[in-house]
Amino acid sequence: MQDGSFAILPEKESNFENKNYKRIGALLSYTFEKNSLEITGENGYLSLLFYRDDIVRIIMNPNTFPSRQTSLAVVMEPDQLNIIITENKDEILLKSNKLSIKINKQPLLLSISDDNGRVIVEDAPNGMASNKQKEVICFKKMEADDHFYGFGEKTSFLDKRGEKMTMWNTDIYAPHNPEIDALYQSIPYFLTIRQGKAHGIFLDNTSKTVFDMKTSNEDYFFKADTGQLDYYVFAGPKPKDVLEQYTAITGKMPLPPKWALGYHQSRYSYKNEQEVRELVQNFKDRDIPLDAIYLDIHYMDGYRVFTFDEDRFPNPRQLVQDLKEEGIHVVPIVDPGVKEDPEYFVYQEGIRNNQFCKYLDGQVYHGDVWPGNSAFPDFTSEKIRKWWGENHNFYTDLGIEGIWNDMNEPSVFNETKTMDVKVMHENDGDPKTHRELHNIYGMLMGKATYEGLKQNLNGNRPFLLTRAGYAGVQRYATVWTGDNRSFWEHLQMALPMCMNLGMSGIPFCGPDVGGFAHDSNGQLLTRWTQFGTFTPYFRNHCELNSVHQEPWSFGEEYENIIKKYIQERYVWLPYIYTLFQEASILGVPVMRPLVMEYPNDENTLNLSDQFMIGSDLLIAPILTPDTYHRVVYLPKGNWINYWTNEELKGGKHHLVEAAIDILPIFVKKGSIITQGTVKSSTEAKERKLTVHVYPEEEKPSIFRYYEDDGQSFAYENGDYFECVFKASLKERSLDITVDVEHSQYQPEWEEIEILIHGVDSDMNNILNGKIQDGIEHVTDETTRIIIASQNIFTVNN
Ligand code: GLC
């Protein structure tokens, strides 16, 4: 955004001709080998390389044969595949088991179809092109019913059709509004829904990229400032397939420690030990669960990372230990800027060992951030990442297991908001400018930090929070959406933003609950906390000069409701944790838009104010002030109001009541959900697992439940518990089974309570073929069965 009419100077008109793009032209020659095709065109070179039957990589380089080097986003090597090539006068045809690529020779244009012959990605007449300014661009045909999702962290609504978006990691304090599209994260990837089917594209380019789904109705384009036009096409056909395909290329989120999923409290800043201890005491006295407290920049000595201010925090080790005994983790902030101070060991080490970003002539780049003039580690080098990671033993030796990375776009207090783009990064022996690598800098800081923590934590899972990121950031960090404000509009915006982060392979994300800047208030914090109960990441955080927004800050009435919803988070954790495990295996998000589950339902295409947790739970928060009802769309099927057990017909909109203490929650009829109990933190023992069964005639309800120790990597060696709950309702007979599929870990709970909703009292409840004695009718509509946990393990025999 630019102030003043200068922004619309006639010379600034931007179109294909003005930009002097040159199309790639005709095909001149080609070679084919195994799973790849190399083409020489009139004005450029093209490589097509299959990674899997359902994933193809396409690289266009205007000047030379494409390099197969990828950015560090990519973790997959191409599979060995059997690709068939055929040719006629006008076309070459490449075929895998899932994709066919038609290559038109004159001009060189691509058309990609899936195994049903459905064209998914097709070059528009301008196809691939480049210009002397080193830009590379690609135009694709857009169908009338194309809808676009993903693109990482973007403002505005869910469906990005009609948006033009820039990817350039930027520290934007204000405003976050529809005009600001370059925020802290750059995920140059999107998923298209076309007539209920999905496919995806990932442009692996770490310079500035632009996606224009707005200017024309016939085509869209994506382009990069410099580098190769290097993109992957994912075949789909279901939205979840695209996520699996994209995360096969860019990696999956590792299973986080359970404490990272609890409620977290932060403020810029809790300034000294006493304040932190009082805060914890307050949570205890008020019986509000808490898993983590954050230390913002004031904990440091003059904002020097890897230090504590001796006056404010005289004994961090004791503090961390004491809090740990209360089940609370301490998460300090670590920014990339290292204070220029010849007497400061991190600065000394960085300078002595050549570890800071520098210009081509060797001069170290310095920029202003919180500590004043600072140097920035060159995270593009493995050696330097290792140095940075190892430095974290400063924190882990104190018992710290979580770190918060901020300002890692990198943010610099100057006109451009970032590092000089002329800085030359080391990039593991393949030097590149900051212009070329800007968007991956923050993620590489995350990689350094996560790997360093992991190495230091003796088998415990690290937790890392990051503001900046690039595709693949999910492998290292949780993403929070930066400096939002205590506006209802920002609560509204957080839904599509987090849903699209989830659609971009980042399942673990959330906004600052209550809003970061400006002053929150009781009603806003209450509604925001209700929403936060179900955001994958749940942290209340606010800025220096704003009013306090801890749960009790706005009086008892609000406090009680806020407390109830923080407690609800803990009740829902056994369900949420299973979904996290699913996300770590399949890449599908925990919090998801309805369109992911119901892509054929037009009502879901741009549904931005309600979402799903997994496949069966629908959440419709209140997002405006003084509002005690709202419209909720329920897709086809039958739905149960979680609070009242009232049954509602799907396939239509409903007006639902939502007093200030009600977050509208709906459970799909025919499903099973698992819940735990209210706890002071995730460290407390889970004594009972409650299984809610919402049976539906003729449709078996199934839930695969996962559990492990929640803190170590032992699950990777099989130390986990997995069982499948199943309920079938047929002719007034309900058959419930519990199949333990894996029990190398023994869950903590001592009993399972099965609550069957919506069935008459004369219904037979049969558990794994045995009628249970302990059946109790709680209400006419709900039946309870209690089973001791040891019986779950023997019930199969
Ligand atoms: C940035 C972060 C914010 C943090 C502040 C001080 O604005 O986005 O969360 O509190 O810096 O470190």
Side-chain angles (χ1 to χ4, degrees), residues 1-261:
M1 208 176 53
Q2 221 161 7
D3 290 328
S5 306
F6 175 76
I8 44 173
L9 211 64
E11 289 78 68
K12 292 202 168 178
E13 191 183 10
S14 159
N15 57 32
F16 195 87
E17 279 69 35
N18 281 7
K19 291 279 214 163
N20 291 320
Y21 286 120
K22 220 188 251 177
R23 295 179 188 91
I24 191 166
L27 177 148
L28 301 180
S29 63
Y30 73 88
T31 57
F32 174 71
E33 199 185 333
K34 286 188 203 144
N35 54 355
S36 73
L37 183 71
E38 304 286 342
I39 298 173
T40 303
E42 262 176 308
N43 300 311
Y45 303 84
L46 189 65
S47 272
L48 289 91
L49 175 61
F50 278 87
Y51 270 58
R52 288 194 340 200
D53 280 319
D54 51 1
I55 305 174
V56 64
R57 178 178 176 195
I58 298 167
I59 321 167
M60 192 275 280
N61 188 319
N63 308 311
T64 158
F65 279 109
S67 155
R68 296 219 178 150
Q69 185 93 33
T70 68
S71 81
L72 284 178
V74 175
V75 290
M76 190 187 175
E77 292 290 328
D79 282 352
Q80 291 298 323
L81 297 163
N82 196 13
I83 304 299
I84 295 164
I85 183 165
T86 50
E87 185 183 4
N88 63 35
K89 188 162 80 26
D90 301 323
E91 293 166 351
I92 301 171
L93 191 68
L94 282 189
K95 223 168 146 35
S96 74
N97 283 327
K98 294 267 174 68
L99 286 169
S100 315
I101 310 184
K102 208 163 22 167
I103 301 138
N104 191 65
K105 293 182 184 170
Q106 217 168 3
L108 191 42
L109 293 173
L110 309 179
S111 170
I112 307 180
S113 321
D114 71 4
D115 51 352
N116 283 320
R118 171 181 71 108
V119 177
I120 55 172
V121 170
E122 187 176 14
D123 283 349
N126 282 328
M128 289 160 277
S130 58
N131 66 13
K132 280 207 181 122
Q133 288 75 46
K134 294 193 178 167
E135 287 180 358
V136 285
I137 191 164
C138 184
F139 292 82
K140 300 287 183 200
K141 285 189 185 163
M142 180 151 81
E143 298 287 326
D145 55 357
D146 280 353
H147 301 272
F148 304 109
Y149 309 90
F151 302 103
E153 179 188 59
K154 295 290 171 211
T155 54
S156 210
F157 295 99
L158 181 69
D159 179 0
K160 299 301 182 201
R161 187 174 178 129
E163 303 275 346
K164 184 173 176 181
M165 290 156 289
T166 305
M167 305 286 176
W168 183 252
N169 288 2
T170 313
D171 172 9
I172 298 277
Y173 175 67
H176 291 192
N177 68 19
E179 220 171 0
I180 301 293
D181 60 68
L183 284 169
Y184 315 90
Q185 298 270 330
S186 292
I187 317 293
Y189 152 85
F190 64 99
L191 178 154
T192 305
I193 301 235
R194 180 179 288 175
Q195 291 188 341
K197 299 244 163 56
H199 63 266
I201 289 183
F202 164 45
L203 173 62
D204 186 18
N205 187 303
T206 56
S207 74
K208 186 183 283 177
T209 54
V210 175
F211 292 77
D212 185 348
M213 334 308 271
K214 168 186 186 171
T215 307
S216 154
N217 247 332
E218 267 102 58
D219 53 48
Y220 62 84
F221 73 71
F222 47 90
K223 70 167 190 174
D225 247 21
T226 182
Q228 303 192 120
L229 181 78
D230 183 355
Y231 66 101
Y232 298 74
V233 174
F234 306 108
K238 293 202 199 96
K240 288 180 191 171
D241 298 331
V242 178
L243 262 300
E244 187 280 317
Q245 290 150 359
Y246 169 69
T247 53
I249 292 292
T250 60
K252 312 255 180 322
M253 167 199 70
L255 201 47
K258 250 191 202 168
W259 67 266
L261 309 185

Side-chain angles (χ1 to χ4, degrees), residues 268 296-297 333 370 404 406 467 480 483 516 541:
Y268 168 30
D296 208 323
I297 52 176
I333 196 167
W370 305 122
W404 168 18
D406 186 26
R467 193 170 70 176
W480 103 99
D483 296 346
F516 175 69
H541 178 53

Side-chain angles (χ1 to χ4, degrees), residues 675-728:
Q675 290 189 332
T677 47
V678 173
K679 286 189 282 304
S680 56
S681 89
T682 55
E683 298 288 313
K685 195 170 158 152
E686 187 73 85
R687 298 198 179 277
K688 184 170 81 177
L689 183 75
T690 299
V691 182
H692 294 267
V693 182
Y694 297 89
E696 174 134 85
E697 197 66 57
E698 304 300 333
K699 181 185 176 274
S701 314
I702 297 174
F703 187 68
R704 187 192 58 85
Y705 169 79
Y706 175 88
E707 178 75 79
D708 60 24
D709 69 15
Q711 64 178 43
S712 78
F713 285 95
Y715 70 92
E716 288 180 348
N717 301 322
D719 291 353
Y720 62 89
F721 173 83
E722 201 168 33
C723 72
V724 176
F725 295 103
K726 214 185 255 178
S728 318

